[in-house]
Amino acid sequence: MTAIEVRGLTRRYSGGFEAVRGVSFEVERGEMFALLGTNGAGKTSTVEVVEGLSRPAEGTVRVLGHDPFAERAQVRPRMGVMLQEGGFPPDLTAFEAARMWAGTLTSPRPVDEALEMVDLTHRATVRVKQLSGGERRRLDLALALLGKPEVLFLDEPTTGLDPESRRNTWELIRALLREGVTVLLTTHYLEEAQALADRLAIMHRGRIVAQGTVSEVVDAYPSRISFVPPAGVTLPFVVDAEPSGRVTLRTNSLQSSLHELLAWAHLNNVELSGLDARSASLEEAFLAIAEEAA
Amino acid sequence: MRAVAVGQAELKLFWRNRTALFNSLLMPLLLVPVLIAVDASGVPLVIGLVGFALLMAVYYNLVTTFVARREELVLKRLRVGELTDPEILVGAALPSVVIALGQMVLYCLVVAVVTGVDLPSRPWFLLLGVLGGVAIFVLLAAASSAFTRTVEMAQVTSLPILMACLFGSGMMFPLTNLPEVLAKVLQYLPLTPVLQLLNAAWADGPVIKPLTVVAVWIVLGTYAVQKWFRWDPRR
């Protein structure tokens, strides 16, 4: 069953600037879909329309079968949102901010439980202005979870988190996914998308330029083999060497290319120092896409 | 009502904000000698204090509240929740309104006891005037916040309405002392019809026209808020 359906979404700002141009994607129930892109690619502009904050200039958006803008009252009780930049009054404590939010919801979970989920229990009585940036992010996540959402929107949820908190947040998100929560994530941490997302789309200048599972997106890009050959050895193929002497091969069939290379080295008794062979990572795919599209 | 949750949080913030406390609770006391000096006593003093509470505790206080919450991104955060837009505004306005109403009751009782004001003969006009005034100044505060970049700027952007109402609504001196043409124009200020209604609670006076002007201001204010109110900080 489809939880989020976006068709031909275009968003235009009052100055006429088109931040999103004909974006389409679907997110199934219980799935995590990640929107990636460079800054200014249109991720947040897209998500804000899906959240129902703004009406699309063109195209349609459905969340749990409803128009999130026109039928806000039907959709909002079933979704949780963590904005890229959301705020709380600085003079409220974390607990007070969460209790205020709970008071606006149809069926909230207990405030203590939500703070516990994001490891903020020990900071409950601290004023928001005294929380660290990462703690504020986690408070924002706690509010997004307070309403027991079926669909969760996370806009750069781990920006400003220390590595341990990020790891904990990932665990929490995985647990939510196991419970069947649908998640739409935007992030510029590619390893975050790689670790969590079932499927993803890469945006560039308002358009989706690649979409699929992590391996589908990555498979389109060549693997790399790199090493430093001994001086004076003539390689059986033409490559450019870096000033350090390191050479890098790109190949679409990593296994057989590597086999050929190693067989040749063995036969000729050549030592390949610093040998490194790897499939394309999401990062490489991402950088290649950004470069191509530029 | 869900907006009450926001109102409760706002009330806490109000007690923690010294500037707002001073403006709402102590400023009206500074006004008493002024009003006494211009020879207001009894009913005019009561009406003046109610008008002042509308201007400071409701209007000025709410301009700063709306701007502060917008710049802190609180309004933006609330907007992705379940509350409707009007509920968010009502919730944020609630404590200021409740405090203003409390002040009005308190000051009126004090003045009534000290100067011996009679009970209003037509109290429903008192009620209509106060409720209409609250509605007008909540809406005008929301509209003014749209033209106010920072909390500090609120001192400037609120001046036109504050000054016009303070001196042009018959609060400091009766409009009958002014040239007729000017007095006629000033009847259309947002506070003037409110004070006229309050007056009509004690003395016979016109009520149809002030009621109409109040209604028009509420419509204009609603339109202005829908058209200009900003939920996001200006960038």
Side-chain angles (χ1 to χ4, degrees):
Chain A
M1 209 185 136
T2 311
I4 300 173
E5 190 187 298
V6 177
R7 295 232 170 288
L9 167 64
T10 294
R11 185 172 185 192
R12 223 169 272 132
Y13 288 105
S14 45
F17 172 66
E18 274 191 2
V20 184
R21 311 171 189 196
V23 160
S24 299
F25 61 89
E26 281 181 12
V27 186
E28 298 299 314
R29 282 282 187 115
E31 183 183 47
M32 176 189 268
F33 189 84
L35 271 182
L36 308 178
T38 46
N39 288 335
K43 306 184 295 282
T44 297
S45 293
T46 302
V47 173
E48 282 181 354
V49 176
V50 183
E51 289 161 355
L53 273 176
S54 167
R55 201 196 292 270
E58 282 162 42
T60 57
V61 177
R62 291 287 176 273
V63 176
L64 299 168
H66 294 281
D67 177 337
F69 187 86
E71 301 169 290
R72 175 164 142 170
Q74 276 96 310
V75 194
R76 284 291 168 82
R78 299 169 66 188
M79 62 191 242
V81 176
M82 183 177 175
L83 292 171
Q84 187 176 23
E85 270 189 304
F88 314 101
D91 281 312
L92 287 184
T93 67
F95 183 84
E96 286 165 349
R99 189 175 53 190
M100 170 190 83
W101 191 261
T104 67
L105 301 175
T106 309
S107 56
R109 50 175 110 231
V111 170
D112 292 318
E113 182 186 316
L115 292 178
E116 177 72 45
M117 288 171 87
V118 299
D119 291 329
L120 272 184
T121 307
H122 64 295
R123 302 287 279 165
T125 57
V126 176
R127 295 222 179 151
V128 168
K129 64 181 172 194
Q130 280 146 2
L131 296 177
S132 72
E135 285 170 339
R136 264 179 240 173
R137 274 329 262 151
R138 278 146 59 200
L139 177 59
D140 208 329
L141 180 59
L143 297 215
L145 297 174
L146 260 174
K148 293 181 265 180
E150 292 168 56
V151 179
L152 186 59
F153 294 85
L154 302 174
D155 198 346
E156 313 217 343
T158 62
T159 301
L161 264 57
D162 60 58
E164 192 199 344
S165 302
R166 173 170 302 160
R167 200 58 59 178
N168 292 342
T169 302
W170 286 8
E171 277 317 308
L172 173 59
I173 294 171
R174 283 199 185 100
L176 293 166
L177 287 167
R178 279 196 295 275
E179 285 169 24
V181 175
T182 307
V183 184
L184 179 59
L185 169 83
T186 63
T187 181
H188 54 232
Y189 295 118
L190 300 170
E191 75 273 21
E192 187 160 286
Q194 195 146 17
L196 296 172
D198 298 296
R199 289 186 309 120
L200 57 89
I202 297 178
M203 287 188 74
H204 188 74
R205 295 196 180 155
R207 294 180 207 282
I208 288 182
V209 289
Q211 183 169 190
T213 63
V214 174
S215 60
E216 280 166 5
V217 169
V218 164
D219 282 352
Y221 294 87
S223 308
R224 292 191 310 179
I225 305 168
S226 78
F227 54 90
V228 183
V233 170
T234 314
L235 296 173
F237 36 75
V238 186
V239 283
D240 292 328
E242 291 170 31
S244 63
R246 175 169 285 275
V247 298
T248 301
L249 310 175
R250 290 173 199 281
T251 169
N252 288 318
S253 47
L254 179 58
Q255 189 182 338
S256 62
S257 301
L258 190 60
H259 177 78
E260 273 173 48
L261 175 70
L262 293 178
W264 169 83
H266 182 71
L267 207 64
N268 296 286
N269 211 14
V270 170
E271 165 107 15
L272 305 173
S273 58
L275 177 64
D276 180 59
R278 60 180 65 204
S279 307
S281 69
L282 193 52
E283 185 173 354
E284 281 160 306
F286 181 83
L287 292 175
I289 288 166
E291 232 166 73
E292 273 168 32
Chain B
M1 205 174 123
R2 300 180 298 183
V4 172
V6 178
Q8 285 169 337
E10 280 296 334
L11 189 60
K12 256 192 208 97
L13 291 165
F14 178 78
W15 290 117
R16 289 171 190 173
N17 181 342
R18 277 163 220 285
T19 319
L21 270 180
F22 176 80
N23 283 336
S24 316
L25 301 185
L26 294 178
M27 285 282 268
L29 297 181
L30 299 178
L31 188 73
V32 173
V34 178
L35 287 173
I36 289 172
V38 297
D39 211 16
S41 66
V43 171
L45 184 54
V46 166
I47 292 175
L49 285 169
V50 169
F52 200 70
L54 285 174
L55 290 179
M56 289 310 293
V58 177
Y59 174 71
Y60 180 72
N61 210 17
L62 281 180
V63 176
T64 58
T65 301
F66 287 136
V67 172
R69 299 299 167 262
R70 181 190 69 210
E71 297 301 311
E72 290 158 3
L73 301 166
V74 173
L75 294 180
K76 188 177 182 185
R77 189 69 181 85
L78 284 169
R79 260 197 125 203
V80 289
E82 290 188 36
L83 294 183
T84 61
D85 292 354
E87 281 178 317
I88 296 173
L89 294 182
V90 168
L94 213 50
S96 296
V97 170
V98 169
I99 287 162
L101 292 177
Q103 277 178 15
M104 291 177 196
V105 171
L106 181 71
Y107 298 143
C108 291
L109 285 178
V110 171
V111 173
V113 169
V114 174
T115 69
V117 176
D118 292 333
L119 283 177
S121 51
R122 302 190 291 178
W124 47 90
F125 289 126
L126 178 64
L127 190 69
L128 275 177
V130 168
L131 293 183
V134 165
I136 289 176
F137 285 101
V138 168
L139 290 166
L140 287 182
S144 301
S145 74
F147 303 96
T148 311
R149 223 173 259 271
T150 64
V151 174
E152 291 73 29
M153 282 296 287
Q155 294 172 12
V156 179
T157 55
S158 63
L159 271 185
I161 288 178
L162 279 184
M163 287 301 140
C165 291
L166 205 52
F167 296 106
S169 294
M171 201 162 121
M172 294 296 196
F173 47 85
L175 295 183
T176 44
N177 292 359
L178 295 170
E180 203 177 326
V181 182
L182 186 57
K184 267 215 164 82
V185 174
L186 294 179
Q187 284 182 358
Y188 297 101
L189 285 177
L191 188 59
T192 317
V194 171
L195 300 187
Q196 284 172 339
L197 282 176
L198 299 183
N199 227 349
W202 277 278
D204 284 336
V207 289
I208 301 298
K209 194 173 170 199
L211 278 174
T212 313
V213 179
V214 165
V216 168
W217 272 109
I218 290 174
V219 172
L220 283 179
T222 310
Y223 174 79
V225 170
Q226 282 174 345
K227 190 165 169 63
W228 288 303
F229 190 78
R230 296 187 59 95
W231 300 92
D232 287 347
R234 295 191 184 192
R235 288 285 150 87

